[in-house]
Amino acid sequence: MAKEGGQFEQEVWEVVRAVPAGRVTTYGAVARALGMPGASRRVGWALNACTRAAVPVPAHRVVNRSGLLTGFAHFGPGLAMAEQLQSEGIAVEAGRVVRFAELFWDPAVELAHEAERT
DNA sequence: TTGTTGACGCTCA
DNA sequence: CTGAGCGCCAACA
């Protein structure tokens, strides 16, 4: 059968694009929002494929559980990722998001909240 | 087919 | 807080 294959990826991209500027989310949170609390690694893999996505994905807004910008391995050795975050109003210190707990945007909660708000 | 790797998460020391 | 180890799922050689 025609294996979708990228179903999960596209859902990840959609959630990441739903993250408002000035906010950040985590791989685990996205995975949980998609119903895969343990597939945090898969989210990273899906975002790795965001390079071939038809739409721009603000992957720089996705950090690990500690608020650490692990995306350096993909964005490059420079601070391009941190620069973009700071450009959106997110303070970054030593490659880590400052006040990460305040800037944390959980799709599993925010999206569900919006669904109920209607 | 198995083994290794990966933009992770959690627990323990 | 930092470092190290184990577990998670999928893709690649």
Side-chain angles (χ1 to χ4, degrees):
Chain A
M1 303 248 285
K3 193 159 85 120
E4 315 301 305
Q7 182 72 58
F8 186 80
E9 303 174 9
Q10 292 184 41
E11 292 191 335
V12 172
W13 303 342
E14 192 176 349
V15 172
V16 175
R17 288 193 312 146
V19 178
R23 296 283 168 171
V24 290
T25 189
T26 69
Y27 301 90
V30 175
R32 196 178 318 238
L34 297 178
M36 298 200 174
S40 47
R41 274 182 149 134
R42 268 271 275 131
V43 178
W45 202 265
L47 283 176
N48 181 29
C50 87
T51 57
R52 62 189 192 128
V55 276
V57 180
H60 55 268
R61 291 187 193 146
V62 186
V63 296
N64 72 356
R65 220 326 211 151
S66 306
L68 182 67
L69 295 121
T70 50
F72 283 111
H74 168 70
F75 273 78
L79 300 174
M81 190 173 181
E83 294 266 310
Q84 288 211 84
L85 287 170
Q86 294 182 67
S87 210
E88 295 185 352
I90 301 175
V92 179
E93 186 80 28
R96 282 175 287 187
V97 177
V98 181
R99 298 190 327 216
F100 167 69
E102 294 179 43
L103 300 173
F104 178 54
W105 190 85
D106 191 342
V109 175
E110 301 297 324
L111 291 179
H113 208 282
E114 254 185 58
E116 270 186 57
R117 272 176 43 185
T118 32

